[in-house]
Amino acid sequence: MTQPLRDPNHVTAGGLHGIFPLPAGRTLDICLKLHTAILEHRLAPGVKLSEDEVGEIYGASRTVVRAALQALAHSGMVTIEKNRGAFVARPSIREAHEVFEARALIEPRIARMAATTASEADLRGLQAHIDAEHEAIAAGDMGKALSLSGLFHTAIADISDHQVLANMVRSLISRSSLIIALYWKRPDTACESHSHHALMKAFAERDATAAEEIQKSHIIDLHSGLNLTERPHHDGSLKDILADT
Amino acid sequence: MTQPLRDPNHVTAGGLHGIFPLPAGRTLDICLKLHTAILEHRLAPGVKLSEDEVGEIYGASRTVVRAALQALAHSGMVTIEKNRGAFVARPSIREAHEVFEARALIEPRIARMAATTASEADLRGLQAHIDAEHEAIAAGDMGKALSLSGLFHTAIADISDHQVLANMVRSLISRSSLIIALYWKRPDTACESHSHHALMKAFAERDATAAEEIQKSHIIDLHSGLNLTERPHHDGSLKDILADT
DNA sequence: GCAATGATTATCGTATACAATTATTGTCTA
DNA sequence: TAGACAATAATTGTATACGATAATCATTGC
C-alpha cells in the first residue's frame, strides 16, 4: 500500500496543486488565485504585487499574503526583491531557453509513462480538456485558452503518476506561461492544438514511444515559436503599458 | 550579454544557493543552517522543528523562523502539518524511487553539459571536493562525508551552467540525503567515490558521452544501494528510538 | 533649464500579542 | 486496570504595531 507523498491536508483541489506544499487555508487560496491570474495572463510579467494591496483585495492580513508571495517565489512565478517588494516574474531570455530545454527533457518521459498508465477516464478527461480549449478559442478568450493549453500538459503529468517529475513539470509550465506572455511571436495563432490531438491518439493506442516523440517535437515547436532574440517589448511598468496610446 | 536568472541579492554564497529564492538576511541564514544540518545527518528525518525552539537557538523571532521553515518545505526537506508544526521530512518508499528516477533522467544530461563547459579551475575544484570527502571519511565523520558526496553532484550542476536543471538537481540531492538516512543498506560503505573519480576522468578528457553514461550508471547504483522493501527502522519518534535498547 | 540634494511618503522587515487548535495529563468510571 | 472524558498546557495561525529601507518629489544651487 502506497502512502501519499505529502500530507493529505495539502490541498488536492483545482488540479494545480502540488507546487505549493502548504496546508489548506487562506494562504493557499491566495496562492491559487494569483497563480491562475498569472496563467490566464491577467497579471502581466513585471506587475508589482504590493502586500497591502493584495491583502486588501482578498481580505487577508499581510502575514498571510507574505507567505503566499514567498510560496509563489519558490515556484518561480514571482520575484521578491529586498525592501522593494514582490513582482510577477519576468523570465530572462536565458531562462526561457532553459525552461523549454528542461521541458524537452522531462515531458517526453512523462508522456511515455502516461501512455501506459492512462485509464479510459483519463482519456475522456484529456479530451474534455481539448474541447474546453477549443471553446475558449472560439469565445475569443485567449488568456483562458492559453491557460488550458498549459493545463493539458499538467494533466498528462498527473496521469503519469510520477509525482516528483509531475511537480517539476507543473513548475516549468507555470513559468512557460510567463515566457509566452513576454516572447510569443504570433499573438493569435491557434496554439498548436493539433499536437495535442496527436498525443491523444497515441495515448488511446497505448503507443508509449509515439507519445514520447510527439511530446518532444511538440515542445521543440513551442520553443521555436518564441522570439528570443530581443528584449521583451513592454516590461510591465506603467510607462510601457501606456506607451501605445 | 546574459543577465542573471534571479536577482543578484539572492545569495550566491556557500555553494548551496539557488533552491531558496529569498533575499539575503536572517531567514536565508536559518534556511542554510537547517539545510546543512539535515544534509550532514545531524537532524534526523521526522524530528520536530518547533518554531519557538528554532527561534531561540538562532536568536530570531517566530516570524523569520516560519519563513525559513516554509522555504524548506518548498524544497521538500520539511513537512508542515496544519496546527501541528514542521518536521524534518520523511520521504516515503515511493518518493525515494521517484527521486532517484528523476536523478537518473536529469543528472546524466547535466554531466554531459558539464563535460563541455568545465574550465580547468572547475576541474581543480571538483578534485578538491573529492579530496575533502576522503579526508572526512578518514576522520570518521560520515555525516560530513555523505554531505560532501552530495555536494559533488551539485558542483557538477553548477558547472553545467544550466540554472533551471541545476536547481532541480539541488532539490533532488537534498531529498536524497534524507532518503539515504532512512533507507541506506550499508551504513559504513565507502560511498562509491570511485564513480566520482571516473567522472573526473571523463571531464578531464572532455568526453561528454562517457560522462553522461558514467553518471547514469552511478545514480542507478545509488538507487540499488537502497533498501526500499520495508518501512524505515526508526521514524524519529521516541518509541522507535528507544525500541533497540 | 537642469542636476544634485534633502525631506517626505510609502512599503517592506521584524517583533510581539492574542486567538484558535491540538496535545497532554489527570481523573473518573466500568 | 483499561478506557473514556474533561481540564490544562503547549504550539501554531493570524493580526497589528513599530522600526528600517528605499522611492518620490520638492527645493536649491549652478
Side-chain angles (χ1 to χ4, degrees), chain B residues 166-184:
Chain B
N167 282 338
M168 289 178 173
V169 167
R170 262 188 283 269
S171 175
L172 290 170
I173 285 169
S174 300
R175 295 203 252 177
S176 295
S177 178
L178 289 168
I179 291 167
I180 288 170
L182 285 172
Y183 302 107
W184 190 245

Side-chain angles (χ1 to χ4, degrees), chain B residues 2-104:
Chain B
T2 63
Q3 69 176 65
L5 199 51
R6 299 178 193 281
D7 199 70
N9 62 14
H10 290 175
V11 126
T12 55
L16 27 89
H17 57 286
I19 359 181
F20 305 123
L22 295 167
R26 268 179 303 176
T27 300
L28 208 248
D29 284 345
I30 293 178
C31 269
L32 260 35
K33 288 201 172 109
L34 290 176
H35 184 94
T36 63
I38 292 173
L39 253 54
E40 293 179 359
H41 288 193
R42 289 172 33 229
L43 242 41
V47 167
K48 166 144 199 189
L49 299 171
S50 158
E51 295 179 354
D52 280 324
E53 207 172 342
V54 175
E56 199 172 343
I57 290 171
Y58 294 120
S61 89
R62 278 182 55 213
T63 307
V64 56
V65 172
R66 259 179 96 75
L69 291 174
Q70 291 183 357
L72 288 164
H74 280 286
S75 70
M77 326 251 330
V78 157
T79 305
I80 296 177
E81 295 177 30
K82 188 175 175 65
N83 284 317
R84 280 183 35 86
F87 305 82
V88 179
R90 217 158 57 76
S92 67
I93 290 174
R94 173 181 177 168
E95 183 173 355
H97 280 297
E98 291 189 358
V99 163
F100 276 87
E101 284 162 11
R103 290 185 62 176

Side-chain angles (χ1 to χ4, degrees), chain A residues 108 111-113 115-116 202 206-216:
Chain A
R112 165 175 283 280
M113 295 188 292
T116 70
R206 310 284 178 201
D207 189 338
T209 302
E212 183 174 3
E213 297 203 349
I214 290 168
Q215 186 71 304
K216 183 167 184 181

Side-chain angles (χ1 to χ4, degrees), chain B residues 57-225:
Chain B
I57 290 171
Y58 294 120
S61 89
R62 278 182 55 213
T63 307
V64 56
V65 172
R66 259 179 96 75
L69 291 174
Q70 291 183 357
L72 288 164
H74 280 286
S75 70
M77 326 251 330
V78 157
T79 305
I80 296 177
E81 295 177 30
K82 188 175 175 65
N83 284 317
R84 280 183 35 86
F87 305 82
V88 179
R90 217 158 57 76
S92 67
I93 290 174
R94 173 181 177 168
E95 183 173 355
H97 280 297
E98 291 189 358
V99 163
F100 276 87
E101 284 162 11
R103 290 185 62 176
L105 174 64
I106 297 173
E107 290 202 56
R109 172 71 64 93
I110 286 269
R112 166 175 281 279
M113 293 189 293
T116 69
T117 59
S119 68
E120 292 299 325
D122 289 332
L123 295 179
R124 282 193 298 273
L126 285 178
Q127 186 58 53
H129 236 303
I130 291 179
D131 295 342
E133 192 181 337
H134 283 181
E135 218 168 286
I137 290 175
D141 189 345
M142 275 319 182
K144 190 143 202 167
L146 260 177
S147 166
L148 285 168
S149 172
L151 253 32
F152 182 79
H153 286 248
T154 70
I156 292 172
D158 285 332
I159 292 170
S160 80
D161 208 39
H162 194 300
Q163 302 193 30
V164 168
L165 287 178
N167 282 338
M168 289 178 173
V169 167
R170 262 188 283 269
S171 175
L172 290 170
I173 285 169
S174 300
R175 295 203 252 177
S176 295
S177 178
L178 289 168
I179 291 167
I180 288 170
L182 285 172
Y183 302 107
W184 190 245
K185 270 182 191 160
R186 309 152 286 199
D188 45 19
T189 299
C191 311
E192 330 277 340
S193 58
H194 74 280
S195 294
H196 290 184
H197 270 118
L199 255 180
M200 276 293 301
K201 184 160 168 290
F203 286 152
E205 296 171 357
R206 309 284 177 199
D207 190 337
T209 301
E212 183 174 3
E213 298 202 350
I214 290 168
Q215 186 71 304
K216 184 168 184 181
S217 58
H218 173 43
I219 288 163
I220 290 173
D221 274 358
L222 289 175
H223 191 169
S224 67

Side-chain angles (χ1 to χ4, degrees), chain A residues 51 62 66 83:
Chain A
E51 294 179 356
R62 279 182 55 214
R66 255 180 98 75
N83 284 318

